Amino acid sequence: MQTLNVKINSSEKSYPIIIKNNDIPELYSEILDITGKNNCLAVISQKVFQLFGNFLNLPKERIFILKDGEKEKNFKTYQKILDRALKLKLTRNDFIIAVGGGVCGDIAGFAAATYMRGIHLIQVPTTLLACVDSSVGGKTGIDTDYGKNLVGSFYQPDAVLINTNFLNSLDDRQFKTGLGEVIKYAFIEKSCKCEEDFNLINYLTLNADQILNRDAKTLEELIKICISLKISVVEKDEKEGNLRKILNFGHTYAHAIEQITRYKKYTHGEAVVKGIEFVFNMAYKMGLILESYKFVAEDLIKKYNFKQIPDFNINKVISAMKLDKKAHPDGIVFILPSDCAAVKEYKMVDNEILKYFG
Ligand code: GLY
């Protein structure tokens, strides 16, 4: 078991992230330890409910089953969650518990942030992606017809309870999409300004077989490393004014190709890996990094055998990048590798990008 603590400077809140690999049913008593006698509404992803639902010893009306898929992260479902909370007469002492992947954590988190101007929230991430990224750091939200995550808030939970046993239920593609975010942390480690030195590039290189075979102890350690890096960043910059932008490493290109392919063809992690390859090429062509470091990145990515994504027409990619909610009027923002495991922010206009990729 590992316990990490998050202390966000701008708020009074400090909360634990607990990583375990014990039996799933034990999770319920861990939840009760936090909620005490207060009431709760669990928002649980349908697939997780089918596989593990009986671990929540709650009456039917206190379980909101969320259909799977990004398209559920919408206003209508958000309203249904709020209606259920209202019907149950939840008060501000009560809890919403999000049990599922990123979609579940985001929408349930946003419901918790806005119900009665904020009630308690426990995140129970059940995918690797949610464990290492979306359940940590307080981003919550829903999608609109105009784009993803366009309505939301920063809202920190009371606790994040991670059980690596959930990860055995993921198919290979779902598991690997989480690894896309894991790889990202390896290349930004030094810029995260964490007191501890993990050498994640090395860890991922030496432990690839154990990670791909989902060895519980290795996964527990891996998740701890990624979360420690993310905590270090969000504690310093909760609202993404500055440092938190480094967590978007590989994401400028990834968001563009996800948007071009209507979020149907590639998983988020697959797109992030392609985005990481893109920024390594760009940084090398700009003379920011040595070819040997680019090879280190390529070798590490190869070890994990991600789905190959072809190159996209750069003009289409640039147009899509400009539509992104993080787009800047002075140019497109890239987080580029600048040194081993370190990154820097660059703003580039179309012609500069076309000079390297046109
Ligand atoms: N997923 C990036 C962040 O939490 O800032």
Side-chain angles (χ1 to χ4, degrees):
M1 175 180 126
Q2 315 252 10
T3 303
L4 301 165
N5 280 299
V6 186
K7 170 87 192 88
I8 302 289
N9 282 335
S10 56
S11 75
E12 301 291 294
K13 236 172 177 173
S14 149
Y15 61 91
I17 299 180
I18 300 166
I19 312 167
K20 288 188 178 175
N21 65 351
N22 54 347
D23 290 342
I24 304 280
E26 289 174 31
L27 245 176
Y28 188 61
S29 58
E30 289 166 41
I31 291 172
L32 288 181
D33 284 346
I34 299 168
T35 60
K37 289 198 162 41
N38 297 301
N39 287 322
C40 55
L41 167 63
V43 179
I44 181 166
S45 101
Q46 189 167 38
K47 194 168 158 222
V48 177
F49 182 72
Q50 280 158 359
L51 292 171
F52 306 103
N54 55 3
F55 88 85
L56 288 170
N57 193 8
L58 289 169
K60 202 163 96 241
E61 66 277 11
R62 294 198 178 272
I63 298 183
F64 184 100
I65 299 171
L66 182 70
K67 284 193 204 131
D68 292 310
E70 183 78 29
K71 69 176 192 323
E72 291 303 313
K73 213 173 99 179
N74 58 31
F75 272 113
K76 221 168 147 187
T77 312
Y78 163 68
Q79 194 182 347
K80 281 188 193 160
I81 297 171
L82 294 182
D83 284 346
R84 180 74 72 85
L86 288 163
K87 202 167 164 201
L88 291 167
K89 297 191 171 59
L90 293 193
T91 71
R92 289 175 97 187
N93 295 323
D94 296 328
F95 283 76
I96 286 188
I97 302 158
V99 186
V103 168
C104 180
D106 283 2
I107 192 166
F110 186 51
T114 47
Y115 180 81
M116 306 227 165
R117 299 205 177 94
I119 63 168
H120 295 288
L121 170 67
I122 300 176
Q123 292 275 9
V124 183
T126 61
T127 63
L128 182 59
L129 195 130
C131 290
V132 297
D133 187 32
S134 56
S135 70
V136 179
K139 281 189 181 175
T140 70
I142 53 174
D143 303 335
T144 77
D145 293 343
Y146 294 88
K148 274 177 78 173
N149 296 319
L150 291 185
V151 176
S153 71
F154 289 95
Y155 193 69
Q156 303 296 334
D158 291 73
V160 182
L161 304 179
I162 294 175
N163 190 318
T164 56
N165 271 324
F166 281 118
L167 306 183
N168 292 322
S169 67
L170 304 176
D171 66 31
D172 191 52
R173 206 166 172 209
Q174 271 181 316
F175 182 69
K176 285 230 185 111
T177 193
L179 287 180
E181 289 286 349
V182 167
I183 296 253
K184 170 193 85 178
Y185 287 108
F187 298 121
I188 65 170
E189 175 171 347
K190 284 194 190 130
S191 297
C192 291
K193 300 183 181 164
C194 186
E195 276 167 21
E196 235 177 300
D197 184 7
F198 299 109
N199 198 345
L200 184 53
I201 294 182
N202 222 23
Y203 189 84
L204 288 171
T205 308
L206 298 177
N207 293 287
D209 289 344
Q210 290 93 318
I211 292 169
L212 288 168
N213 290 328
R214 306 186 202 184
D215 172 68
K217 280 278 153 226
T218 314
L219 286 185
E220 198 179 308
E221 182 64 16
L222 181 67
I223 291 169
K224 183 204 84 179
I225 295 172
C226 295
I227 293 180
S228 302
L229 294 171
K230 182 152 186 186
I231 291 175
S232 174
V233 171
V234 298
E235 282 186 342
K236 294 174 183 70
D237 176 25
E238 181 194 15
K239 304 265 166 81
E240 206 170 313
N242 200 354
L243 182 67
R244 190 166 179 165
K245 289 185 197 162
I246 66 169
L247 298 176
N248 293 323
F249 182 64
H251 283 60
T252 312
Y253 189 91
H255 287 156
I257 61 175
E258 284 183 285
Q259 201 244 322
I260 292 170
T261 55
R262 301 272 168 258
Y263 301 92
K264 288 198 168 85
K265 206 159 175 185
Y266 306 112
T267 67
H268 179 62
E270 287 162 1
V272 168
V273 171
K274 180 73 184 174
I276 292 173
E277 288 169 340
F278 180 84
V279 285
F280 265 97
N281 274 321
M282 185 181 250
Y284 172 63
K285 287 179 181 174
M286 288 167 71
L288 300 177
I289 56 165
L290 296 174
E291 194 172 37
S292 54
Y293 183 39
K294 185 167 83 82
F295 289 153
V296 168
E298 285 168 1
D299 286 348
L300 185 61
I301 288 169
K302 236 182 252 151
K303 256 188 184 313
Y304 285 88
N305 200 15
F306 289 100
K307 187 182 169 89
Q308 295 289 309
I309 300 183
D311 290 335
F312 281 72
N313 175 295
I314 193 68
N315 291 302
K316 262 194 177 175
V317 171
I318 291 174
S319 304
M321 283 170 176
K322 286 182 177 165
L323 293 176
D324 195 83
K325 71 173 180 305
K326 287 178 187 165
H328 198 279
D330 299 342
I332 296 166
V333 178
F334 289 98
I335 308 297
L336 297 183
S338 56
D339 203 347
C340 186
V343 289
K344 271 201 185 125
E345 182 185 333
Y346 286 81
K347 225 171 267 151
M348 295 172 74
V349 293
D350 300 16
N351 282 345
E352 285 174 279
I353 303 168
L354 289 169
K355 190 164 97 194
Y356 300 114
F357 292 98

